[in-house]
Amino acid sequence: MKISAFLQKESCVLDLQSSTKEEAIIEIINQLVRAGKVLDKHRLVNDIMVREKLGSTGIGHKIAIPHSPTEGVEGFVIGFGRCAAGIDFNSIDADKVNLIFLMATNPAELNIYLKLLAKLSKLLNEESFRDELIAARSTDEIINIFQKYE
Amino acid sequence: MAVKNIVVSLAGAPASLVTAKYAIYLAKILQAKLTAVYVVNEKILQELFKSRIFVEVEVRVYERDLEEQGRLFLERVKKMAANKTVECEGVLLRGTVHTEVVNKARELCADILVMGELKEMLSRKEIFYDEGERIFREATCPVIVVKNPAEVERLYKELI
């Protein structure tokens, strides 16, 4: 099961304009809405924000993975956002976040979602993978990097 | 050797219904008892907790939700089996999927273990760690990997 089968260039934002965590999450969700991946935007936003209140999804290494099961999507969706300046996500290492992976699933697809989250977590342990995502110049390159590492 | 016990490993995904149908078909034609096993994947939840993607309360919620999904799925499979007059027991377990499935098959002295189609693999590492591959490798009884959903559907429908 590959993340690249779900991640599409239309779901990626290479230059997030947001300056806060909340704005960044909504900016990526807006991109997913434009890509036709969302059934109910308000529900998706609400479920992602409720999860953020449980504890930050900034996992260190300048990465955040906001996520939640939600009826706001059908199946599994992933959106990607990158911000060169960094966004404060209250990360565990206190660093600002440059790479944001927003993952959501319909509750009926929990097992697939968990496997893809675990897979993303393993990929992000590789420094070269993170560096290549930071250096990518286009959304096509982002997809190619995933395909290369998966 | 008569086949008396068939164990089927189910992941709860829609594709698992095809696996369940073939297991019911086999149990019917072999007049065997069927045990449907669903495992709440606690290992993956713990991995996500350790990698700090999940917080503790979230792990508990996922455990509860997965358990509920598993229970509902097993009930559905038991009803499908009953409709074909096949004796079927549902077993809900928690832990590492391949370990629980293989142990349950051994405990029940399963004559056949039925499982869903294996995923397309890309690397040796992936093959080594995939739960389906590990069930296939570590099972101590013959394993049937279900393929060709259309044919399974035909066989299942033909059962009285």
Side-chain angles (χ1 to χ4, degrees):
Chain A
M1 195 172 305
K2 300 183 214 173
I3 293 168
S4 52
F6 296 91
L7 181 65
Q8 291 165 343
K9 59 182 183 178
E10 293 81 11
S11 308
C12 300
V13 189
L14 286 190
D15 293 300
L16 287 169
Q17 301 301 304
S18 307
S19 53
T20 68
K21 170 167 95 166
E22 290 76 13
E23 285 173 8
I25 286 170
I26 290 169
E27 193 176 344
I28 295 170
I29 288 175
N30 283 339
Q31 187 71 19
L32 288 170
V33 171
R34 282 193 288 275
K37 305 283 183 191
V38 178
L39 293 176
D40 184 336
K41 178 187 162 184
H42 296 294
R43 201 154 184 176
L44 174 58
V45 170
N46 183 62
D47 289 335
I48 293 284
M49 295 303 184
V50 166
R51 164 59 189 88
E52 284 298 319
K53 283 179 186 163
L54 295 176
S56 175
T57 54
I59 60 168
H61 296 301
K62 304 179 188 302
I63 295 159
I65 310 178
H67 60 270
S68 182
T70 176
E71 299 284 353
V73 299
E74 185 182 4
F76 172 82
V77 298
I78 176 169
F80 170 73
R82 191 179 68 182
C83 177
I87 294 169
D88 185 1
F89 244 80
N90 299 319
S91 294
I92 48 167
D93 57 4
D95 266 356
K96 286 189 173 180
V97 159
N98 299 120
L99 302 174
I100 304 171
F101 302 85
L102 188 143
M103 297 175 90
T105 187
N106 189 279
E109 305 280 357
L110 268 189
N111 274 312
I112 293 170
Y113 165 74
L114 294 173
K115 283 177 187 166
L116 290 170
L117 264 176
K119 184 156 199 175
L120 179 63
S121 167
K122 283 185 182 125
L123 285 174
L124 289 168
N125 280 332
E126 296 193 47
E127 191 176 358
S128 57
F129 176 71
R130 302 195 300 264
D131 289 346
E132 287 188 38
L133 289 177
I134 293 277
R137 284 170 297 183
S138 68
T139 50
D140 281 324
E141 267 190 59
I142 296 288
I143 307 298
N144 290 340
I145 293 162
F146 268 91
Q147 287 170 343
K148 177 177 146 190
Y149 278 84
E150 283 193 287
Chain B
M1 182 189 82
V3 173
K4 292 177 184 166
N5 283 313
I6 296 174
V7 170
V8 59
S9 171
L10 301 171
S16 281
L17 280 178
V18 176
T19 311
K21 285 177 179 176
Y22 193 72
I24 291 167
Y25 168 79
L26 273 184
K28 176 80 176 180
I29 61 168
L30 296 172
Q31 295 181 305
K33 186 190 170 194
L34 180 62
T35 304
V37 177
Y38 176 99
V39 182
V40 174
N41 193 342
E42 285 183 329
K43 185 186 168 200
I44 204 167
L45 294 173
Q46 285 309 316
E47 278 176 11
L48 289 165
F49 177 64
K50 281 181 193 159
S51 58
R52 299 190 173 90
I53 292 173
F54 283 177
V55 294
E56 199 172 346
V57 63
E58 199 177 13
V59 171
R60 288 199 295 273
V61 170
Y62 281 110
E63 279 176 353
R64 187 198 62 202
D65 290 352
L66 288 171
E67 195 168 312
E68 181 59 18
Q69 282 189 5
R71 190 169 291 120
L72 291 172
F73 195 80
L74 289 174
E75 282 305 315
R76 184 173 176 183
V77 170
K78 280 164 69 179
K79 279 182 192 162
M80 286 163 55
N83 286 341
K84 302 291 185 184
T85 60
V86 168
E87 185 188 351
C88 177
E89 184 189 357
V91 177
L92 185 79
L93 300 167
R94 303 162 73 100
T96 303
V97 177
H98 73 274
T99 306
E100 296 300 325
V101 170
V102 168
N103 286 346
K104 181 51 76 176
R106 192 182 292 126
E107 179 194 317
L108 295 173
C109 301
D111 300 299
I112 298 173
L113 173 60
V114 181
M115 61 182 290
E117 193 163 3
L118 296 166
K119 291 182 220 105
E120 178 196 351
M121 293 295 159
L122 299 157
S123 66
R124 286 185 182 179
K125 191 176 167 188
E126 210 172 3
I127 289 170
F128 188 79
Y129 287 110
D130 181 74
E131 293 291 342
E133 290 281 343
R134 295 188 76 173
I135 291 171
F136 186 72
R137 282 200 311 269
E138 295 178 20
T140 52
C141 64
V143 178
I144 289 180
V145 178
V146 179
K147 299 190 177 193
N148 196 345
E151 178 64 6
V152 171
E153 199 64 45
R154 187 188 69 76
L155 292 170
Y156 180 77
K157 276 186 181 164
E158 282 181 2
L159 279 184
I160 299 166

